[in-house]
């Protein structure tokens, strides 16, 4: 599989860009997915700082593959709020253009696809189109991360939204962990359906627990506490089900990564493979450099041990 191996910034949210980029280069990653948090939150980045980051990327010979942004949320916003999101998007477009990044994540709305109204869906399409057109002027892609609790929480809903937007620079990020939490399919047949739209694959792992006894368990709950810091979230109606998960090292959780990589091989995927593992100081997982090193080894192991499907 000829894909670009990328280090995502999730595990460095509490550190610095300098630390993140140095580790990525030292370990052997080809590219980095830069997060829109910390000093980059809301896109208020000076031209001087953008050029400094560009210099670091060039010096380390790292490709800035994607900006993982908390921008959009259009279905759940007022028009005034969506105007502000477009302005934020434009600020990030300036940053992306300076550092040479050709892809930016944009969220259509944290509302379940089977509960969104026609009016809210149409609003999300309209504002997403505005942002996609602005990105296209810079030769930048606007990508949607398939995510539980959003308009794009299944293959069907994701494809429907991309086709409704109808822009050639709009595509998808497959994140099996997010689909595992819906729960919905993320395997070979799903990947075949996603082939025309797929630009990026996020790689991490979690496992569902029986309860909340594990100290680092987190509740599903539409990610309201986490995502609510960045987007308005409309939680699922009448949802009284309690589900708990915890983070695991890649291929040590609930995701069948062999199934995923067999699917990617079958569609001859040549896009991005982006490590997006998560940990926090004090948890059972390592942090920062140690986690980035372990994830790189885990991904290389998967890529070298994948068994082709004899029925292809």
């Amino acid at each position: 599989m000829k894909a670009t191996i990328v280090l995502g910034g999730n595990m460095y949210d509490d550190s610095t860009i300098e630390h993140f980029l140095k580790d990525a280069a030292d370990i052997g990653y080809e590219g980095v997915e830069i997060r829109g948090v910390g000093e980059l939150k809301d896109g208020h980045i000076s031209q001087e700082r953008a050029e400094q980051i560009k210099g670091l990327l060039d010096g380390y010979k790292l490709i800035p593959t994607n900006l993982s942004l908390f921008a959009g949320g259009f279905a759940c916003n007022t028009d005034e709020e969506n105007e502000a999101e477009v302005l934020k998007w434009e600020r990030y477009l300036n940053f992306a253009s300076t550092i040479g990044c050709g892809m930016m994540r944009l969220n259509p709305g944290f509302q379940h696809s089977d509960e969104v109204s026609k009016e809210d869906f149409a609003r999300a399409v309209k504002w997403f189109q505005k942002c996609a057109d602005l990105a296209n002027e810079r030769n930048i892609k606007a990508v949607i991360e398939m995510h539980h609790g959003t308009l794009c929480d299944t293959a069907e809903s994701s494809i429907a939204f991309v086709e409704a937007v109808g822009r050639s620079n709009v595509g998808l990020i497959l994140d099996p962990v997010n689909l595992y939490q819906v729960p919905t399919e993320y395997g070979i047949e799903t990947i075949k359906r996603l082939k025309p739209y797929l630009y990026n694959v996020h790689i991490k792992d979690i496992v569902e627990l029986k309860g909340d006894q594990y100290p680092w368990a987190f509740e599903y709950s539409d990610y309201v506490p986490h995502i609510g810091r960045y987007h308005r979230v409309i939680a699922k109606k009448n949802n009284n089900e309690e589900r708990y998960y915890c983070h695991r090292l890649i291929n040590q959780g609930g995701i069948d990564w062999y199934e995923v990589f067999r699917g990617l091989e079958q569609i001859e995927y040549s896009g991005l493979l982006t490590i997006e593992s998560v940990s926090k100081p004090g948890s059972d997982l390592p942090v920062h450099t140690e986690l980035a090193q372990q994830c790189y080894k885990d991904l290389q192991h998967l890529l070298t041990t994948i068994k082709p499907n004899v029925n292809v």
Side-chain angles (χ1 to χ4, degrees):
M1 186 187 307
K2 296 180 180 178
T4 301
I5 309 301
V6 179
L7 180 61
N10 293 53
M11 64 188 79
Y12 292 85
D13 278 357
D14 62 347
S15 188
T16 64
I17 290 177
E18 284 78 4
H19 183 192
F20 168 48
L21 298 184
K22 184 178 187 304
D23 276 1
D26 288 347
I27 294 167
Y29 288 93
E30 300 168 75
V32 286
E33 181 175 273
I34 297 173
R35 297 258 291 171
V37 298
E39 65 170 303
L40 303 185
K41 187 176 183 293
D42 294 331
H44 294 292
I45 310 153
S46 71
Q47 184 64 25
E48 179 183 9
R49 180 56 171 154
E51 290 172 358
Q52 287 175 348
I53 294 171
K54 169 65 171 170
L56 289 169
L57 290 163
D58 290 346
Y60 287 130
K61 296 182 173 58
L62 289 168
I63 305 165
T65 58
N66 179 38
L67 297 185
S68 182
L69 305 177
F70 296 94
F74 303 120
C76 308
N77 296 341
T78 66
D79 283 347
E80 183 179 4
E81 288 168 332
N82 283 332
E83 288 280 7
E85 289 300 308
V86 172
L87 292 176
K88 181 200 296 184
W89 181 252
E90 289 183 297
R91 293 194 295 270
Y92 278 123
L93 284 171
N94 291 333
F95 175 63
S97 296
T98 297
I99 67 172
C101 184
M103 192 181 299
M104 292 165 49
R105 182 177 72 176
L106 185 62
N107 182 266
F110 263 84
Q111 186 173 5
H112 289 254
S113 65
D114 60 352
E115 295 185 348
V116 67
S117 68
K118 291 181 179 179
E119 293 77 16
D120 289 348
F121 185 89
R123 183 187 310 111
V125 169
K126 168 189 168 183
W127 289 96
F128 205 103
Q129 287 172 332
K130 288 178 183 286
C131 289
D133 290 342
L134 289 168
N136 198 43
E137 292 172 6
R138 312 272 192 118
N139 198 29
I140 292 174
K141 295 180 176 67
V143 293
I144 305 160
E145 181 173 350
M146 298 172 71
H147 206 297
H148 51 89
T150 74
L151 300 190
C152 297
D153 54 5
T154 65
E156 292 80 5
S157 62
S158 301
I159 292 169
F161 187 82
V162 170
E163 292 186 347
V165 171
R167 298 295 189 268
S168 61
N169 66 324
V170 173
L172 297 170
I173 301 172
L174 169 64
D175 190 317
V177 161
N178 293 343
L179 301 186
Y180 172 76
Q181 290 176 86
V182 172
T184 188
E185 291 298 318
Y186 60 81
I188 292 173
E189 295 307 313
T190 295
I191 290 168
K192 286 180 180 178
R193 296 180 62 193
L194 296 174
K195 179 180 178 179
Y197 316 94
L198 192 57
Y199 291 143
N200 193 354
V201 179
H202 278 174
I203 300 171
K204 56 181 180 281
D205 218 332
I206 63 172
V207 67
E208 186 169 7
L209 304 172
K210 295 296 184 183
D212 62 352
Q213 295 85 0
Y214 178 61
W216 299 100
F218 59 88
E219 189 177 1
Y220 171 78
S221 68
D222 296 328
Y223 263 39
V224 172
H226 169 58
I227 295 297
R229 296 176 296 167
Y230 307 102
H231 293 291
R232 178 171 291 120
V233 179
I234 299 178
K236 194 170 185 64
K237 297 174 184 176
N238 303 318
N239 182 23
N240 298 317
E241 181 185 10
E242 291 184 344
R243 284 188 279 150
Y244 295 92
Y245 301 87
C246 68
H247 297 290
R248 285 287 184 257
L249 292 173
I250 295 166
N251 214 29
Q252 294 186 24
I255 304 302
D256 186 347
W257 282 108
Y258 288 98
E259 169 83 358
V260 172
F261 280 105
R262 283 175 62 199
L264 294 174
E265 281 207 333
Q266 287 187 32
I267 68 168
E268 299 181 333
Y269 179 72
S270 59
L272 307 174
L273 297 176
T274 303
I275 297 291
E276 208 197 22
S277 293
V278 177
S279 74
K280 296 179 180 179
S283 74
D284 289 340
L285 269 66
V287 297
H288 302 146
T289 310
E290 187 179 351
L291 181 58
Q293 289 171 331
Q294 184 62 52
C295 289
Y296 187 82
K297 292 177 183 176
D298 292 341
L299 178 54
Q300 293 294 341
H301 177 73
L302 276 169
L303 291 173
T304 56
T305 59
I306 187 69
K307 296 177 181 179
N309 186 347
V310 296
N311 297 320
V312 176

